[in-house]
Amino acid sequence: MAASSAAARSGGDAQTLDVGGRRVRLTNPDKVLFPGDDEHGPTTKGELVDYYRRIAPVMLPHLAGRPVTRKRWPNGTEQQSFFTKNLDSGTPDWVPRAAVEHQHRVATYPLVEEEAALAWAAQLAAIELHVPQWRLPEAARDQRPGGSPYVLEEATADPDRLVVDLDPGPGTTMRDVARVALAARDILEGAGLAVFPVTSGSKGLHLYAGLGGAHAISSAQAREVSAELARALAAELPDLVVTSMKRAIRDGKVFVDHSQNNPAKTTVSPYSVRGRARPWVAAPRTWAEIEAAAEGEGLPQLTMAEVLERVARDGDLLAPLLPAGESSGAPSPGAASPGPARPRAARRPRPSQPVVPSTPPPPTLARMPALPDPMLASTLDPAREAELAAPDAGTRWRFEPKWDGYRVLVVVGPAAGAADVGPSGGADEEATAVALVTRSGRDVTAEFGPVAAVPPALAGHVGILDAEVVALDEAGRPSFQTLQNRTFNGDRLRLMLFDVLELDGVDLVGHPLDARLEVLSALDLPPADPGRLAATGPGAWVQTEPLADTLAAAMRESRELDGEGVLAKRRDSRYQPGRRSGSWVKVKHLLEVRVVIGGFTAGQGRRAGGIGALLVGTRDDGGRLRYAGKVGTGFSTAALERLLARLRRLEVAEPPFAGGLDAVPRADARTATWVRPELGGEVLADQWTDGGRLRLPRWQGDVEPVE
């Protein structure tokens, strides 16, 4: 069928679908929205609705809490499209909504958080769903007329993921895009971030990285990180990468678009269909596919049917991006497209699976109070560094360990069905319940069940406390990767309490930190000794203790305990809900590591014919050289040229690292030249990853002979 006639074909009787108990009216299910091409026939509105219903269990967790901008093609993708933010008067009452104010303008967005909402959007030919990289606080969700809008500010709209769009210009192919993606993966993984590729459903590739837990940063920092990534890619691949939108310079180049980390910008959601001739989808891919594409095997965009088949087989490849306690379900089984003959009954998304299913479900709260957003810490700046470094800083500042876990507000109160409890006491633990709520407003109590049991010190109390859930590794140390990768059992969870916002009816938010901590100490919880956390017992609630009273000594103490760094807090600071305050400052460690050069990668662009990055290792106690990552910054061009001449004289056929080629990532080894380990020097790095790699290493000083 010719495209023009296919686009014109429409019809079919209107029907009402029962979608999870909601009534969704579907008109013209046989109307063609996608004309198709020589290889793929037309696709109807009914088929679009069917896809969104079936993909809902996997897609909805990635939409949760995000205001949705819809891109609509009422007359099919051959005709005009338009973006729409505001809901109109015909929107069903059951669709939750959020009013967001930006630059003195208020828009009321839908929140798409159930299967029926996806079906409703598809019925309106809202083919594409676009969302920001941040989530609304719980209080701003499902607002009704008369409520105050959520004011979008960069200081408070903290992202939970980072995204970069690799957009191929004229004359480039997906092989070029894949090469850039692999280079970006190396840089981000070197910074300790797990990266997930998504073919955009249009012509390029999106790269996502999660920013939860230990990687939490502000929107301004996310913009800075993504911009630095773009600059690093342009420096490493100058003949292939551009960072400017100017079309005049994009021929033969891949445009690295990092602008979508601006909190006012949006990106098409994973699993969203795109408005093309064929119903392509923004589809998660594997790195094996990207590596194959870089070798020239191709990387085609995927259709709705192909995505449903892959998800049924592989599950949600983006599940690690979701906050703790959230998980994707499986796609609904196949069914005929909605049509006049028989509307298909809907399936609701499967509930999140508990992280620790072996523990009995804890009692639930009789009533969940309104919760403030947690107070956030700022990063260290030169002015604040001078203040914190003063010998008498401990009189004004308290230095605490920076825990590597998930931030939660801890709500304590009467259990459902129990008698009232309160400051008069007398209630046992069974009469008191706990809820653990994340920064995004998600209740993760069931997921972290072992720490949701009320300790005797809190029985009979009512309050809101601030804490982090941490998981201990095999050595008994807090490990975010252990927590994130779910490689723990319930015995390894601990709840680290460091503040109290309310207790037994007394609002403590306006009190100084020292006064709040006196109240917390009166609960008589065991101290959180970072070196003896394993001895506190499974599921223990412990109170964070201060480190030394100077920043230098606190940092030394943290480093000795393999900590991530220090949180400095002004002793007179009030609790500022939802604000990133200079009264709390996080100070991370920088490592100085002696490394040995075991090889180098081939340079590209301006470094073509020379060194791209050094492949380095460190000696273990047995004298074996353990691969530690690659270092590509900190050198001048002249220094690299001189070093290349020295390394050429040391070339060998095999890598000198323990484990040989298996110890070096394939992407690093592909263009590597191996050398005898006779030269080395010093690098600065943020820290070690759990995998034994240096995070963000940069060379400092000279290259010298090593023993």
mmCIF file of all heavy atoms in Angstrom, residues 435-470:
data_model
loop_
_atom_site.group_PDB
_atom_site.id
_atom_site.type_symbol
_atom_site.label_atom_id
_atom_site.label_comp_id
_atom_site.label_asym_id
_atom_site.label_seq_id
_atom_site.Cartn_x
_atom_site.Cartn_y
_atom_site.Cartn_z
ATOM 1 N N ALA A 435 8.616 3.059 58.690
ATOM 2 C CA ALA A 435 8.624 3.180 57.226
ATOM 3 C C ALA A 435 9.940 3.830 56.824
ATOM 4 O O ALA A 435 10.407 4.773 57.476
ATOM 5 C CB ALA A 435 7.446 4.011 56.735
ATOM 6 N N LEU A 436 10.535 3.321 55.759
ATOM 7 C CA LEU A 436 11.760 3.879 55.192
ATOM 8 C C LEU A 436 11.403 4.494 53.847
ATOM 9 O O LEU A 436 10.901 3.804 52.963
ATOM 10 C CB LEU A 436 12.818 2.785 55.003
ATOM 11 C CG LEU A 436 13.147 1.936 56.241
ATOM 12 C CD1 LEU A 436 14.150 0.850 55.886
ATOM 13 C CD2 LEU A 436 13.676 2.806 57.372
ATOM 14 N N VAL A 437 11.671 5.779 53.689
ATOM 15 C CA VAL A 437 11.239 6.515 52.501
ATOM 16 C C VAL A 437 12.456 7.184 51.876
ATOM 17 O O VAL A 437 13.201 7.901 52.557
ATOM 18 C CB VAL A 437 10.168 7.566 52.851
ATOM 19 C CG1 VAL A 437 9.698 8.292 51.600
ATOM 20 C CG2 VAL A 437 8.985 6.906 53.550
ATOM 21 N N THR A 438 12.665 6.986 50.574
ATOM 22 C CA THR A 438 13.825 7.532 49.890
ATOM 23 C C THR A 438 13.638 9.004 49.563
ATOM 24 O O THR A 438 12.552 9.571 49.719
ATOM 25 C CB THR A 438 14.101 6.766 48.584
ATOM 26 O OG1 THR A 438 13.043 7.047 47.661
ATOM 27 C CG2 THR A 438 14.183 5.279 48.831
ATOM 28 N N ARG A 439 14.700 9.621 49.044
ATOM 29 C CA ARG A 439 14.630 11.034 48.643
ATOM 30 C C ARG A 439 13.570 11.289 47.591
ATOM 31 O O ARG A 439 12.977 12.361 47.533
ATOM 32 C CB ARG A 439 15.988 11.485 48.092
ATOM 33 C CG ARG A 439 17.016 11.828 49.139
ATOM 34 C CD ARG A 439 18.355 12.152 48.487
ATOM 35 N NE ARG A 439 18.249 13.193 47.491
ATOM 36 C CZ ARG A 439 19.225 13.523 46.649
ATOM 37 N NH1 ARG A 439 20.361 12.856 46.682
ATOM 38 N NH2 ARG A 439 19.061 14.496 45.789
ATOM 39 N N SER A 440 13.295 10.297 46.739
ATOM 40 C CA SER A 440 12.282 10.472 45.694
ATOM 41 C C SER A 440 10.878 10.225 46.211
ATOM 42 O O SER A 440 9.916 10.332 45.463
ATOM 43 C CB SER A 440 12.575 9.519 44.531
ATOM 44 O OG SER A 440 12.439 8.169 44.937
ATOM 45 N N GLY A 441 10.746 9.892 47.507
ATOM 46 C CA GLY A 441 9.431 9.685 48.086
ATOM 47 C C GLY A 441 8.938 8.256 48.017
ATOM 48 O O GLY A 441 7.768 7.998 48.319
ATOM 49 N N ARG A 442 9.797 7.298 47.668
ATOM 50 C CA ARG A 442 9.391 5.912 47.537
ATOM 51 C C ARG A 442 9.539 5.166 48.863
ATOM 52 O O ARG A 442 10.550 5.305 49.552
ATOM 53 C CB ARG A 442 10.224 5.199 46.468
ATOM 54 C CG ARG A 442 10.003 5.746 45.077
ATOM 55 C CD ARG A 442 8.598 5.489 44.629
ATOM 56 N NE ARG A 442 8.290 6.150 43.374
ATOM 57 C CZ ARG A 442 7.099 6.176 42.822
ATOM 58 N NH1 ARG A 442 6.086 5.585 43.414
ATOM 59 N NH2 ARG A 442 6.889 6.797 41.684
ATOM 60 N N ASP A 443 8.526 4.395 49.211
ATOM 61 C CA ASP A 443 8.556 3.580 50.426
ATOM 62 C C ASP A 443 9.315 2.289 50.123
ATOM 63 O O ASP A 443 8.885 1.477 49.303
ATOM 64 C CB ASP A 443 7.121 3.270 50.866
ATOM 65 C CG ASP A 443 7.070 2.604 52.242
ATOM 66 O OD1 ASP A 443 8.000 1.847 52.570
ATOM 67 O OD2 ASP A 443 6.097 2.831 52.979
ATOM 68 N N VAL A 444 10.478 2.111 50.758
ATOM 69 C CA VAL A 444 11.313 0.930 50.498
ATOM 70 C C VAL A 444 11.418 0.053 51.752
ATOM 71 O O VAL A 444 12.365 -0.704 51.906
ATOM 72 C CB VAL A 444 12.724 1.351 50.021
ATOM 73 C CG1 VAL A 444 12.647 2.013 48.654
ATOM 74 C CG2 VAL A 444 13.402 2.283 51.027
ATOM 75 N N THR A 445 10.407 0.137 52.618
ATOM 76 C CA THR A 445 10.442 -0.614 53.867
ATOM 77 C C THR A 445 10.577 -2.107 53.629
ATOM 78 O O THR A 445 11.416 -2.779 54.244
ATOM 79 C CB THR A 445 9.168 -0.332 54.674
ATOM 80 O OG1 THR A 445 8.928 1.079 54.718
ATOM 81 C CG2 THR A 445 9.306 -0.858 56.090
ATOM 82 N N ALA A 446 9.742 -2.649 52.732
ATOM 83 C CA ALA A 446 9.777 -4.087 52.494
ATOM 84 C C ALA A 446 11.102 -4.530 51.885
ATOM 85 O O ALA A 446 11.583 -5.634 52.154
ATOM 86 C CB ALA A 446 8.619 -4.483 51.583
ATOM 87 N N GLU A 447 11.700 -3.657 51.067
ATOM 88 C CA GLU A 447 12.941 -4.024 50.398
ATOM 89 C C GLU A 447 14.107 -4.147 51.373
ATOM 90 O O GLU A 447 15.041 -4.901 51.147
ATOM 91 C CB GLU A 447 13.276 -3.000 49.312
ATOM 92 C CG GLU A 447 12.431 -3.126 48.064
ATOM 93 C CD GLU A 447 11.016 -2.608 48.246
ATOM 94 O OE1 GLU A 447 10.724 -2.055 49.328
ATOM 95 O OE2 GLU A 447 10.207 -2.749 47.318
ATOM 96 N N PHE A 448 14.048 -3.381 52.456
ATOM 97 C CA PHE A 448 15.114 -3.415 53.449
ATOM 98 C C PHE A 448 14.545 -3.878 54.791
ATOM 99 O O PHE A 448 14.798 -3.285 55.832
ATOM 100 C CB PHE A 448 15.776 -2.042 53.571
ATOM 101 C CG PHE A 448 16.440 -1.577 52.307
ATOM 102 C CD1 PHE A 448 16.023 -0.427 51.661
ATOM 103 C CD2 PHE A 448 17.465 -2.306 51.747
ATOM 104 C CE1 PHE A 448 16.627 0.001 50.494
ATOM 105 C CE2 PHE A 448 18.073 -1.897 50.574
ATOM 106 C CZ PHE A 448 17.660 -0.743 49.943
ATOM 107 N N GLY A 449 13.786 -4.980 54.719
ATOM 108 C CA GLY A 449 13.073 -5.479 55.885
ATOM 109 C C GLY A 449 13.898 -5.671 57.138
ATOM 110 O O GLY A 449 13.445 -5.345 58.240
ATOM 111 N N PRO A 450 15.128 -6.201 57.055
ATOM 112 C CA PRO A 450 15.898 -6.438 58.276
ATOM 113 C C PRO A 450 16.171 -5.187 59.108
ATOM 114 O O PRO A 450 16.378 -5.293 60.313
ATOM 115 C CB PRO A 450 17.205 -7.050 57.748
ATOM 116 C CG PRO A 450 16.812 -7.708 56.471
ATOM 117 C CD PRO A 450 15.779 -6.809 55.874
ATOM 118 N N VAL A 451 16.207 -3.997 58.490
ATOM 119 C CA VAL A 451 16.422 -2.791 59.283
ATOM 120 C C VAL A 451 15.108 -2.066 59.550
ATOM 121 O O VAL A 451 15.111 -0.933 60.027
ATOM 122 C CB VAL A 451 17.436 -1.831 58.614
ATOM 123 C CG1 VAL A 451 18.810 -2.433 58.594
ATOM 124 C CG2 VAL A 451 16.989 -1.437 57.213
ATOM 125 N N ALA A 452 13.973 -2.705 59.228
ATOM 126 C CA ALA A 452 12.671 -2.083 59.485
ATOM 127 C C ALA A 452 12.037 -2.609 60.761
ATOM 128 O O ALA A 452 10.871 -2.340 61.026
ATOM 129 C CB ALA A 452 11.732 -2.332 58.301
ATOM 130 N N ALA A 453 12.795 -3.348 61.559
ATOM 131 C CA ALA A 453 12.313 -3.809 62.858
ATOM 132 C C ALA A 453 12.670 -2.766 63.920
ATOM 133 O O ALA A 453 13.821 -2.330 64.009
ATOM 134 C CB ALA A 453 12.940 -5.159 63.197
ATOM 135 N N VAL A 454 11.705 -2.363 64.714
ATOM 136 C CA VAL A 454 11.920 -1.289 65.687
ATOM 137 C C VAL A 454 12.800 -1.779 66.829
ATOM 138 O O VAL A 454 12.490 -2.781 67.474
ATOM 139 C CB VAL A 454 10.574 -0.797 66.240
ATOM 140 C CG1 VAL A 454 10.793 0.321 67.248
ATOM 141 C CG2 VAL A 454 9.674 -0.329 65.123
ATOM 142 N N PRO A 455 13.919 -1.111 67.098
ATOM 143 C CA PRO A 455 14.740 -1.499 68.248
ATOM 144 C C PRO A 455 14.056 -1.076 69.547
ATOM 145 O O PRO A 455 13.212 -0.171 69.558
ATOM 146 C CB PRO A 455 16.040 -0.723 68.019
ATOM 147 C CG PRO A 455 15.635 0.479 67.244
ATOM 148 C CD PRO A 455 14.493 0.042 66.375
ATOM 149 N N PRO A 456 14.390 -1.709 70.658
ATOM 150 C CA PRO A 456 13.762 -1.345 71.925
ATOM 151 C C PRO A 456 13.858 0.144 72.263
ATOM 152 O O PRO A 456 12.951 0.711 72.869
ATOM 153 C CB PRO A 456 14.525 -2.204 72.948
ATOM 154 C CG PRO A 456 15.023 -3.376 72.165
ATOM 155 C CD PRO A 456 15.319 -2.845 70.795
ATOM 156 N N ALA A 457 14.955 0.790 71.856
ATOM 157 C CA ALA A 457 15.129 2.212 72.182
ATOM 158 C C ALA A 457 14.058 3.088 71.563
ATOM 159 O O ALA A 457 13.782 4.189 72.054
ATOM 160 C CB ALA A 457 16.507 2.678 71.715
ATOM 161 N N LEU A 458 13.440 2.639 70.452
ATOM 162 C CA LEU A 458 12.430 3.449 69.762
ATOM 163 C C LEU A 458 11.013 2.975 70.039
ATOM 164 O O LEU A 458 10.050 3.613 69.586
ATOM 165 C CB LEU A 458 12.685 3.434 68.256
ATOM 166 C CG LEU A 458 13.591 4.515 67.651
ATOM 167 C CD1 LEU A 458 12.960 5.882 67.794
ATOM 168 C CD2 LEU A 458 14.977 4.497 68.240
ATOM 169 N N ALA A 459 10.831 1.862 70.739
ATOM 170 C CA ALA A 459 9.492 1.354 71.000
ATOM 171 C C ALA A 459 8.688 2.401 71.774
ATOM 172 O O ALA A 459 9.152 2.958 72.764
ATOM 173 C CB ALA A 459 9.567 0.053 71.792
ATOM 174 N N GLY A 460 7.477 2.667 71.287
ATOM 175 C CA GLY A 460 6.610 3.632 71.953
ATOM 176 C C GLY A 460 6.838 5.061 71.551
ATOM 177 O O GLY A 460 6.120 5.956 72.008
ATOM 178 N N HIS A 461 7.808 5.324 70.680
ATOM 179 C CA HIS A 461 8.074 6.694 70.241
ATOM 180 C C HIS A 461 7.410 6.959 68.890
ATOM 181 O O HIS A 461 7.085 6.045 68.128
ATOM 182 C CB HIS A 461 9.581 6.933 70.123
ATOM 183 C CG HIS A 461 10.275 7.056 71.444
ATOM 184 N ND1 HIS A 461 10.226 8.204 72.200
ATOM 185 C CD2 HIS A 461 11.025 6.162 72.148
ATOM 186 C CE1 HIS A 461 10.941 8.029 73.312
ATOM 187 N NE2 HIS A 461 11.431 6.797 73.298
ATOM 188 N N VAL A 462 7.260 8.235 68.580
ATOM 189 C CA VAL A 462 6.758 8.694 67.282
ATOM 190 C C VAL A 462 7.741 9.733 66.777
ATOM 191 O O VAL A 462 8.083 10.676 67.500
ATOM 192 C CB VAL A 462 5.351 9.320 67.412
ATOM 193 C CG1 VAL A 462 4.882 9.857 66.065
ATOM 194 C CG2 VAL A 462 4.365 8.305 67.958
ATOM 195 N N GLY A 463 8.227 9.568 65.543
ATOM 196 C CA GLY A 463 9.206 10.536 65.079
ATOM 197 C C GLY A 463 9.608 10.346 63.633
ATOM 198 O O GLY A 463 9.198 9.401 62.959
ATOM 199 N N ILE A 464 10.457 11.287 63.166
ATOM 200 C CA ILE A 464 11.045 11.248 61.826
ATOM 201 C C ILE A 464 12.543 11.447 61.990
ATOM 202 O O ILE A 464 12.981 12.454 62.581
ATOM 203 C CB ILE A 464 10.463 12.339 60.907
ATOM 204 C CG1 ILE A 464 8.944 12.197 60.799
ATOM 205 C CG2 ILE A 464 11.098 12.274 59.523
ATOM 206 C CD1 ILE A 464 8.280 13.360 60.061
ATOM 207 N N LEU A 465 13.331 10.508 61.486
ATOM 208 C CA LEU A 465 14.781 10.571 61.609
ATOM 209 C C LEU A 465 15.404 10.500 60.226
ATOM 210 O O LEU A 465 14.787 10.040 59.272
ATOM 211 C CB LEU A 465 15.299 9.427 62.489
ATOM 212 C CG LEU A 465 14.717 9.352 63.909
ATOM 213 C CD1 LEU A 465 13.567 8.342 63.945
ATOM 214 C CD2 LEU A 465 15.769 8.953 64.931
ATOM 215 N N ASP A 466 16.652 10.952 60.125
ATOM 216 C CA ASP A 466 17.388 10.943 58.859
ATOM 217 C C ASP A 466 18.496 9.899 58.963
ATOM 218 O O ASP A 466 19.175 9.809 60.002
ATOM 219 C CB ASP A 466 17.982 12.330 58.591
ATOM 220 C CG ASP A 466 18.163 12.611 57.108
ATOM 221 O OD1 ASP A 466 18.121 11.657 56.315
ATOM 222 O OD2 ASP A 466 18.356 13.786 56.745
ATOM 223 N N ALA A 467 18.673 9.117 57.888
ATOM 224 C CA ALA A 467 19.595 7.984 57.994
ATOM 225 C C ALA A 467 20.057 7.532 56.620
ATOM 226 O O ALA A 467 19.602 8.033 55.589
ATOM 227 C CB ALA A 467 18.901 6.822 58.717
ATOM 228 N N GLU A 468 20.984 6.578 56.622
ATOM 229 C CA GLU A 468 21.391 5.869 55.411
ATOM 230 C C GLU A 468 21.332 4.373 55.686
ATOM 231 O O GLU A 468 21.763 3.901 56.744
ATOM 232 C CB GLU A 468 22.816 6.248 54.984
ATOM 233 C CG GLU A 468 22.968 7.660 54.520
ATOM 234 C CD GLU A 468 23.661 7.775 53.164
ATOM 235 O OE1 GLU A 468 23.945 6.734 52.551
ATOM 236 O OE2 GLU A 468 23.909 8.908 52.745
ATOM 237 N N VAL A 469 20.791 3.634 54.710
ATOM 238 C CA VAL A 469 20.883 2.179 54.741
ATOM 239 C C VAL A 469 22.193 1.798 54.070
ATOM 240 O O VAL A 469 22.482 2.244 52.957
ATOM 241 C CB VAL A 469 19.709 1.523 53.978
ATOM 242 C CG1 VAL A 469 19.877 0.007 53.965
ATOM 243 C CG2 VAL A 469 18.382 1.911 54.604
ATOM 244 N N VAL A 470 23.001 1.013 54.757
ATOM 245 C CA VAL A 470 24.260 0.553 54.169
ATOM 246 C C VAL A 470 24.287 -0.968 54.172
ATOM 247 O O VAL A 470 23.630 -1.626 54.980
ATOM 248 C CB VAL A 470 25.501 1.108 54.911
ATOM 249 C CG1 VAL A 470 25.488 2.625 54.932
ATOM 250 C CG2 VAL A 470 25.598 0.549 56.317
#
